[in-house]
Amino acid sequence: PRVVEDPSGGPGRISTISYSDLTVNNVVGKGAFGQVCKGYHKKWMVDVAVKKLNSSSREQSIRRSKALMEEANFMYRARNANRFVVGLYGVCIEDTFTAMIMEYMANGSVGDLISRVKHVPWALKWRILQETILGMNFLHSLDPQIIHRDLKVQNVLLDEDFHAKISDFGLAEYKPLTSIGDEKGNLCGTITHIAPEHFKNPYMKAGEKFDVYRYIFQFCKLKFVYFGSSLGSIPGKKPYREIGIGGVIRERVMKGERPDKRQIPTEGPNELSFFVHLMENCWDQDAQERPTFRTLGEQVQVVTQKTNAQVAQAIQVVLKEQGDELHNIL
Ligand code: ATP
């Protein structure tokens, strides 16, 4: 296949895929730049995910195509981590169609799972948390290191066996270039997920510990810690939901406020207290004190060695709940 040069001038060469080889079907997700559709590669006979751009003007189209190519380049660099990072097949760049063609993740994002299934069994939660760590550890261990910067439940996807993989490299940067603020010092990314040191100094380079801080929001969405101020908030909803205003969130996070732990269930498996402790380490006010993903990976392995044996059963529970849900709709 034809190859396109890596736009950042690095060593990557990304394959191009011809539009005529693809069938593009239903929309499975929406993002800031466009839509993600389920597709099919006719020659390879495999399902694919097609992340295609929507643009309202020629200038916007050029800007977005460049951004898409940059994202593809990050995915391409991480492609060897195919177990824990979503694979990139290539890009499709034709007259009116620009898209990134990826491995299709049949169970959508962790965010989708949570909205579909009320009670995700613990063992599956632990495995998702572990595999997220392993994917992030891989990105951080590359040379040059990739800092994701936008880790959240919508960007951790689940394959047909509910294994988790990291996706959406739209905000990713190589470490030496990375600052979380733009050239005017405006912070990029979701305000509730920004680490306190970056509020203090938006020009500060985002490093590993920035991604580690963001990792705690997996815990929020997996509904065993309830984010909010001391007023409490609703499980699984947006963090700091009742504070609402960006400036106030910023002030409170800088003062050390964190999610409300009082609502962590008192009843639960033994692993619960382990993961709560791990989460607290990840949101330490002092970035130096936060563990790296490597350390987290080592710590978590010991726990999930036992619980991973229960995942097959957990998946049956999820499939049943999804099936019942579908049945009710029909
Ligand atoms: P953002 O606004 O976060 O930048 P985006 O435009 O980069 O979004 P993605 O986050 O990459 O878009 O994807 C949006 C959604 O599409 C995901 O949350 C997921 O539900 C779905 N999706 C993305 N990639 C895939 C894939 N490879 N397989 C299946 N579903 C996917």
Side-chain angles (χ1 to χ4, degrees):
R2 201 160 66 84
V3 290
V4 287
E5 292 298 332
D6 166 356
S8 67
R13 289 166 78 80
I14 303 160
S15 301
T16 57
I17 291 172
S18 157
Y19 184 70
S20 59
D21 287 338
L22 296 172
T23 310
V24 181
N25 301 318
N26 52 307
V27 176
V28 292
K30 287 194 178 122
F33 278 26
Q35 293 171 328
V36 180
C37 298
K38 182 176 181 182
Y40 185 70
H41 194 290
K42 290 180 262 185
K43 282 191 188 151
W44 301 341
M45 295 187 287
V46 288
D47 288 333
V48 292
V50 180
K51 183 170 176 170
K52 58 178 187 165
L53 295 184
N54 284 346
S55 321
S56 55
S57 66
R58 190 162 160 69
E59 290 76 53
Q60 194 182 51
S61 159
I62 295 169
R63 247 194 348 266
R64 291 190 168 180
S65 300
K66 192 166 172 279
L68 186 98
M69 285 305 299
E70 279 169 9
E71 179 176 355
N73 178 54
F74 281 106
M75 287 191 80
Y76 177 84
R77 279 217 44 235
R79 68 197 179 284
N80 293 333
N82 47 31
R83 253 197 93 186
F84 302 115
V85 175
V86 173
L88 173 75
Y89 291 126
V91 289
C92 177
I93 307 173
E94 296 192 7
D95 289 346
T96 53
F97 188 82
T98 308
M100 209 163 72
I101 316 300
M102 303 173 274
E103 174 183 10
Y104 179 65
M105 300 292 284
N107 281 299
S109 70
V110 172
D112 299 333
L113 173 74
I114 293 159
S115 52
R116 273 194 321 261
V117 177
K118 256 204 196 109
H119 302 289
V120 178
W122 293 109
L124 182 58
K125 289 185 184 181
W126 307 149
R127 191 174 79 175
I128 291 171
L129 289 170
Q130 181 195 23
E131 292 181 338
T132 306
I133 290 175
L134 295 176
M136 293 305 297
N137 176 52
F138 180 85
L139 298 180
H140 287 183
S141 64
L142 290 170
D143 183 16
Q145 197 175 38
I146 291 179
I147 304 298
H148 188 287
R149 305 205 307 169
D150 200 21
L151 180 60
K152 57 186 178 188
V153 280
Q154 289 79 8
N155 294 339
V156 178
L157 304 185
L158 300 165
D159 72 7
E160 57 190 358
D161 299 316
F162 291 85
H163 281 290
K165 301 189 188 201
I166 311 288
S167 85
D168 195 0
F169 288 63
L171 275 183
E173 293 265 11
Y174 294 122
K175 192 180 171 196
L177 306 173
T178 306
S179 132
I180 199 63
D182 62 15
E183 64 284 354
K184 294 190 187 113
N186 298 316
L187 291 167
C188 314
T190 317
I191 186 129
T192 49
H193 291 37
I194 290 174
E197 63 276 15
H198 292 272
F199 281 132
K200 282 198 188 117
N201 176 8
Y203 296 102
M204 184 178 178
K205 306 282 177 217
E208 287 179 65
K209 301 299 176 75
F210 179 81
D211 281 346
V212 168
Y213 183 85
R214 291 193 67 109
Y215 175 64
I216 64 176
F217 296 93
Q218 296 273 313
F219 292 91
C220 159
K221 293 293 183 154
L222 286 170
K223 292 185 191 169
F224 63 86
V225 92
Y226 303 151
F227 272 59
S229 68
S230 47
L231 300 170
S233 69
I234 300 165
K237 294 285 180 200
K238 282 187 178 162
Y240 311 115
R241 185 167 169 268
E242 76 291 355
I243 303 178
I245 306 155
V248 182
I249 293 173
R250 179 193 149 111
E251 286 299 305
R252 297 219 192 157
V253 170
M254 278 165 72
K255 281 191 189 134
E257 186 164 335
R258 293 293 186 274
D260 184 0
K261 287 189 304 177
R262 288 173 312 167
Q263 295 191 58
I264 294 175
T266 44
E267 300 286 315
N270 294 339
E271 294 78 23
L272 187 57
S273 57
F274 167 84
F275 277 99
V276 171
H277 183 64
L278 187 131
M279 175 183 69
E280 288 167 341
N281 288 343
C282 293
W283 77 40
D284 202 295
Q285 190 80 358
D286 180 356
Q288 302 282 342
E289 293 297 318
R290 290 177 212 144
T292 59
F293 278 110
R294 174 96 194 267
T295 307
L296 290 171
E298 284 160 3
Q299 291 171 348
V300 104
Q301 195 176 27
V302 184
V303 174
T304 49
Q305 255 162 11
K306 281 184 261 149
T307 58
N308 278 349
Q310 300 154 20
V311 171
Q313 205 186 349
I315 290 173
Q316 290 311 315
V317 172
V318 168
L319 292 175
K320 178 160 187 326
E321 198 174 325
Q322 285 182 170
D324 289 349
E325 192 69 6
L326 197 65
H327 190 253
N328 291 341
I329 294 167
L330 295 174

